[in-house]
Amino acid sequence: MAVDSVTIALVGSGGAGVMTAGQMLLDAAAQVGWYGLMSRSSGPQIRGGEAAALVRLSPKPVEGPGDRFDLIIAFDWQNVERFAAELPMTAESVIVTDPSQGDVPAVLAASGARIIELPIKELAGKIPGGRVNMVGLGAVASIVGLPRAGVDAVIDKALGKKGEGAVKASAAGIDAGAKEVAGWGLGLELTAPEARTGIRWNISGNEAAGFGALKAGVKFCAAYPITPATEILEWLAPNLARTGGLLVQAEDELASINMIVGASFGGVPSITATAGPGLSLMTEALGLAVASETPVVVVDVMRGGPSTGIPTKSEQSDLNIAVNGLHGDAPHLVVAPTSIADCLFTTQWAVHLAEALQTACIVLSDQSMGQSRAVVDKPADQPFKAQRLLADGLDSGELFKRYAVTGSGVSPTAIPGMPGGEHTADGLEHSERGLPSSQSSDHHKQLDKRLRKLVGHDYGIHWADIEGDGDVAVLTWGSATGPAREAVARLTAAGHKVRLVSLRLLSPVKPELVAEALKGVSRVLVVEQTHGAQFHKHIRAHVDLPGTVSVLSQPGPLPIRARDVQQALASIL
Amino acid sequence: MDTHLVEEVAALTPGDYKSDVKPIWCPGCGDYSVLAAVTRALANMGLARHNTAVVSGIGCSSRIPAYTSCYGFHGVHGRSLAAASGLKLARPDLTVLVFGGDGDGFSIGGNHFLHACRRNVDMTYVVMDNQVYGMTKGQASPTTEADWCESKLTPEGPGVNPIQPVSLALACGANFVARGFSGDPNEVARLIVEGVRHPGFSVIHVLSPCVTFRPEQRGWKSTVHPYGRQPTDDPNEAMRAVLEDDGFGLGIFLAGNRRPFAPAGTAVKTIQQIEEGFAV
């Protein structure tokens, strides 16, 4: 009997090529019409450390990790103990191990998983130029029933640039692996894909965020590398240049944020990307963007914190600093994508909102979305663009009021090059003209308008993903949405009525919208990946949640799995 | 400076580049003269106000943008060069001038100064150096003498040697380096014009006395002297010569030939073409 989802870990030290094999597996699955998700688990080493490619395949879209690993194939066991906790298994799981690499570590064997030996290194050694990862790929492809044509289609793409020899050696390795496992009968064949309708993409969250920025019309990025955000910057570098924009590498995050503030003052939609340590450095200038009403977008790809924390692993624990990290009363926007594909829309929307509302917007992605790659249906085109409200009638001869108090709170602006609009944008509190002022009346008027423009804005339907109904609701955000959605789907299939509310707009919180989304709910489960229940506290500060509230809040680096949400829901159903 | 940056403007006078805002500076502050020099330089060049951006950080001298009638950006402490670099890279059509003091530029902003010099974006940085933090009421800055004991924060003196901005600028690769004295605003105006017209990053170190916290700096008018050499385009020669400088020599030390950093993308792909790269 075929299965509807299979979760596979390819494990090996840095040089074994597990990431290449994992990507090829995902690509091949996409070729034949399956969906999939590949995330990475790796240590801090640049090369040679422990690593695992975590791949989940299904005929249906995949938005989160599987409950357990069905199959683990190890090229070696070097330091695997360090992330064994990330590889949950049961007695139904299968471990494929190379006898030349020693025993299966006790911590994994303790699961009771079935252990099968496969002389991967020996098989690869018999092939001139043969590599263990290709033997492993052949074995896995065969075990899950991936048609060989799908694998062949990706060999060229992945290895063609290494020459014909490499392609031949890979094909031979895949053959060898497939041949060995034929007849094992593990029962891990995946259900055949449904007929494909529409275009599918193979995209990472970091690429999607970069592309969202581009679609919104971003033309400038200042970049300082940091794990796990660097791929956004590296993707934007060539693609901004190709579309007439520019990326410049800055000397630090203080420079990158101030550079984009400067560029945006020049009227050019601008972005940067960083992670927690960089966001910490940027908070002063984010306040400058708020006070001077200069639109900027910062994508924070969250990792384990505080301090340097766990750079290569995911957590949602930058919520507090993103919402509350600026000194003074500094209302600004915080939004979060709800899936890998949604990194595109949410970043595009963030640029649109920042420009329309002339403020700073922080996009809270995280490592599990940013550095994971998914096969997804091509996201629908969205119209959101960077568009700033520009002043007209600047030739009146009157001095321009850059910070004019308006009903909406948004003041028509002028950008350098517009005669008659000359003004000084200022981080000092200012009068309507922008002149430094410490008068209470100016301070109060400007505070009011900077808040009013955010609170009064119509965010449309995009402020949250709301699905299903019933008097039980899961309230969540960000990368926790995928597992929550899967748990809700399972319970719904079992006849329960469960609602999913995942917030895309995290700040400002719109209490009336949250209340409406939870109308009729008597039990709420809050789901988030933090130690301090940051999201729960944030929402409770603004909204009286209905009925009984329980919280599933667990820190990284372990991902939240659908099973975790399902169990938490089961206890309140 | 590119000729296209200069627009025909109906003969603006220095006064036309001044705003109606009264400076917060103390009577006798050297910064008044620098402001006069700036407006004179802008008038001399005939720059259109709307195509000129004046960027600064925090401190007494950093108040200057609002005192001009150009576009101004008054950012946070120490980051003026970063903001200005972003502005100029994103909007190469603008003339960008950056102003600040010795604390803003060399202490909190020291890293950005280093990288602005080596990056060589085409803009002009005027540092008004009074060897003291004035706005916070008189503390030692990176250019203060080690034995200056007038600050409550360092009553025994800062105890560390001051840096020399001109040699630092040269060491870091600035393309145009000059020193002026606020007591001679005509000369400062000339240096600013030269700096703006010279391609790349221009550093103009202006000795600008703080009469409140460093009243002895009133004596600078008899300490400064012409540097006494012709400007060179060779950074090594300029660096050797600066070793003999006493910190009060005025003039242009270097007018180098490094190409400004001005990367520019060209639209060769559409969004749709990029999107196709994601398709399975």
Side-chain angles (χ1 to χ4, degrees), chain A residues 347-503:
Chain A
T347 310
Q348 182 182 354
W349 193 49
V351 174
H352 164 79
L353 290 175
E355 292 280 330
L357 300 177
Q358 299 180 22
T359 192
C361 182
I362 298 170
V363 179
L364 288 179
S365 178
D366 63 23
Q367 187 273 339
S368 77
M369 291 191 284
Q371 291 192 318
S372 297
R373 186 165 278 289
V375 178
V376 298
D377 292 320
K378 175 183 177 299
D381 268 327
Q382 295 283 354
F384 293 104
K385 292 273 183 204
Q387 198 162 20
R388 222 175 279 187
L389 180 63
L390 296 177
D392 50 22
L394 290 173
D395 52 0
S396 68
E398 289 188 14
L399 290 165
F400 177 55
K401 285 187 173 173
R402 166 65 187 97
Y403 301 106
V405 173
T406 62
S408 69
V410 177
S411 314
T413 188
I415 57 175
M418 290 171 64
E422 295 88 351
H423 65 276
T424 291
D426 208 324
L428 277 169
E429 190 57 283
H430 38 254
S431 67
E432 289 186 274
R433 262 186 67 197
L435 305 178
S437 169
S438 51
Q439 289 181 37
S440 60
S441 59
D442 283 327
H443 188 42
H444 296 175
K445 276 185 209 159
Q446 295 295 323
L447 284 170
D448 284 344
K449 91 185 258 308
R450 292 194 293 256
L451 179 63
R452 185 164 69 242
K453 67 183 181 180
L454 301 192
V455 173
H457 185 72
D458 179 1
Y459 296 89
I461 61 167
H462 305 289
W463 71 277
D465 289 349
I466 304 167
E467 296 156 17
D469 54 15
D471 66 347
V472 175
V474 179
L475 183 60
T476 189
W477 72 287
S479 64
T481 306
R485 183 176 280 139
E486 186 170 347
V488 168
R490 289 179 194 173
L491 289 165
T492 305
H496 298 284
K497 295 192 100 179
V498 184
R499 207 179 290 193
L500 175 73
V501 179
S502 175
L503 267 58

Side-chain angles (χ1 to χ4, degrees), chain A residues 130-383:
Chain A
R131 288 177 54 83
V132 289
N133 63 340
M134 292 300 106
V135 176
L137 175 61
V140 171
S142 179
I143 289 169
V144 302
L146 179 56
R148 180 57 200 259
V151 183
D152 285 340
V154 301
I155 295 178
D156 257 341
K157 193 178 142 216
L159 303 166
K161 62 176 184 287
K162 290 188 176 176
E164 203 184 328
V167 171
K168 277 190 170 165
S170 298
I174 288 162
D175 283 338
K179 193 172 154 219
E180 290 292 320
V181 304
W184 279 7
L186 298 180
L188 291 175
E189 289 85 9
L190 197 56
T191 306
E194 290 162 25
R196 198 155 107 181
T197 55
I199 298 167
R200 286 188 197 162
W201 284 2
N202 181 336
I203 195 166
S204 73
N206 279 346
E207 288 171 350
F211 186 53
L214 221 57
K215 281 192 88 169
V218 163
K219 292 289 180 201
F220 185 81
C221 175
Y224 191 75
I226 185 167
T227 305
T230 308
E231 295 88 357
I232 295 181
L233 306 165
E234 289 180 340
W235 188 90
L236 277 172
N239 287 303
L240 269 173
R242 285 174 192 140
T243 49
L246 171 66
L247 178 141
V248 60
Q249 183 172 339
E251 54 268 31
D252 54 29
E253 288 94 345
L254 302 166
S256 56
I257 184 71
N258 281 282
M259 281 181 175
I260 68 168
V261 170
S264 178
F265 170 70
V268 177
S270 299
I271 198 167
T272 189
T274 190
L279 183 65
S280 300
L281 290 177
M282 290 179 183
T283 52
E284 185 192 22
L286 281 167
L288 170 64
V290 169
S292 65
E293 304 198 48
T294 310
V296 291
V297 174
V298 177
V299 182
D300 172 20
V301 186
M302 296 181 287
R303 63 192 217 186
S307 189
T308 313
I310 313 179
T312 55
K313 313 247 174 179
S314 207
E315 204 167 64
Q316 294 185 309
S317 49
D318 290 353
L319 177 63
N320 276 353
I321 187 177
V323 173
N324 301 309
L326 313 188
H327 65 268
D329 285 311
H332 60 282
L333 297 161
V334 181
V335 298
T338 57
S339 70
I340 289 174
D342 189 56
C343 289
L344 193 172
F345 169 72
T346 296
T347 310
Q348 182 182 354
W349 193 49
V351 174
H352 164 79
L353 290 175
E355 292 280 330
L357 300 177
Q358 299 180 22
T359 192
C361 182
I362 298 170
V363 179
L364 288 179
S365 178
D366 63 23
Q367 187 273 339
S368 77
M369 291 191 284
Q371 291 192 318
S372 297
R373 186 165 278 289
V375 178
V376 298
D377 292 320
K378 175 183 177 299
D381 268 327
Q382 295 283 354

Side-chain angles (χ1 to χ4, degrees), chain A residues 30 196 200-202 207 211 235 241-246 248-249 251-252 254-255 258-259 261-263 265-266 284 378 414-419 421-428 433 435-436, chain B residues 20-21 49-51 53 63 65-66 69-77 79 82-83 85-87 89-91 94 111-112 115 119 261 263-269 271 274-275 278-280:
Chain A
R196 198 155 107 181
R200 286 188 197 162
W201 284 2
N202 181 336
E207 288 171 350
F211 186 53
W235 188 90
R242 285 174 192 140
T243 49
L246 171 66
V248 60
Q249 183 172 339
E251 54 268 31
D252 54 29
L254 302 166
N258 281 282
M259 281 181 175
V261 170
F265 170 70
E284 185 192 22
K378 175 183 177 299
I415 57 175
M418 290 171 64
E422 295 88 351
H423 65 276
T424 291
D426 208 324
L428 277 169
R433 262 186 67 197
L435 305 178
Chain B
D20 59 343
V21 181
R49 289 174 294 199
H50 61 275
N51 287 333
R63 289 282 184 139
S69 56
C70 302
Y71 276 92
F73 191 83
H74 186 200
V76 293
H77 195 26
R79 318 293 167 213
S85 299
L87 176 59
L89 288 167
R91 288 289 308 275
L94 302 175
N111 194 34
H112 307 304
H115 291 280
R119 193 175 280 122
F261 179 69
T266 315
V268 293
K269 275 201 176 187
I271 293 290
I274 289 171
E275 186 175 288
F278 296 126
V280 171

Side-chain angles (χ1 to χ4, degrees), chain B residues 3 7 9 24-25 37 44 61 100 109 114 136 144 206 215 225 231 239 249-250 264 277:
Chain B
T3 49
E7 292 192 3
V9 180
I24 56 160
W25 299 324
N44 285 352
S61 52
L114 189 169
T136 49
T144 304
V206 179
H225 55 85
M239 184 60 98
L250 307 181

